[in-house]
Amino acid sequence: VQLQASGGGLVQAGGSLRLSCAASETIFSRNPMGWYRQVPGNERELVARIRGGRDPEYADSVKGRFTISRDNAKNTVYLQMDSLKPEDTAVYYCYCKVDYRGNRYYWGQGTQVTVSS
């Protein structure tokens, strides 16, 4: 599985960005897809994830500001980021976990999000 992320960039505080991540093959809805982010020197942290039959999950720091969605027909997951803050600045990585591949994780290449104050 290859994941291609896009949509990062530079935005002022309070602005919005939408990240997209397209998988190269079918990812069944029962398998989670989502986003992590990482700041240099810190561990990668979960931002949001989504899987069929369950409510989306969000990090406390982004609840109410970020929205994750998924188009299973396009094998694509999205992250709508509103009311961005400088502390949201990070490299964002999309991922999926595939049960029919031994619960293996697959990662996108990362996209930089920079929020200026």
Side-chain angles (χ1 to χ4, degrees):
V1 179
Q2 294 182 336
L3 300 175
Q4 182 67 45
S6 61
L10 173 64
V11 65
Q12 289 188 334
S16 298
L17 283 174
R18 188 192 193 209
L19 305 183
S20 299
C21 178
S24 60
E25 60 185 73
T26 297
I27 306 297
F28 294 117
S29 62
R30 67 178 184 266
N31 294 135
M33 297 184 75
W35 298 88
Y36 278 72
R37 66 186 180 187
Q38 188 170 26
V39 175
N42 290 358
E43 293 187 357
R44 197 172 290 191
E45 65 168 352
L46 177 67
V47 177
R49 63 184 174 195
I50 185 170
R51 50 186 164 175
R54 302 190 183 193
D55 292 334
E57 298 173 58
Y58 297 94
D60 288 342
S61 58
V62 307
K63 283 181 181 177
R65 300 187 297 119
F66 290 11
T67 303
I68 190 170
S69 61
R70 182 170 175 173
D71 186 334
N72 291 317
K74 296 182 179 179
N75 300 311
T76 300
V77 62
Y78 305 95
L79 186 67
Q80 178 66 40
M81 304 185 294
D82 299 319
S83 302
L84 282 160
K85 304 176 180 179
E87 51 263 45
D88 294 318
T89 295
V91 177
Y92 284 70
Y93 297 90
C94 63
Y95 85 100
C96 66
K97 181 182 176 183
V98 180
D99 58 6
Y100 50 93
R101 296 280 176 87
N103 286 322
R104 178 177 173 179
Y105 283 79
Y106 294 87
W107 297 92
Q109 81 280 15
T111 185
Q112 177 70 46
V113 171
T114 302
V115 184
S116 63
S117 57

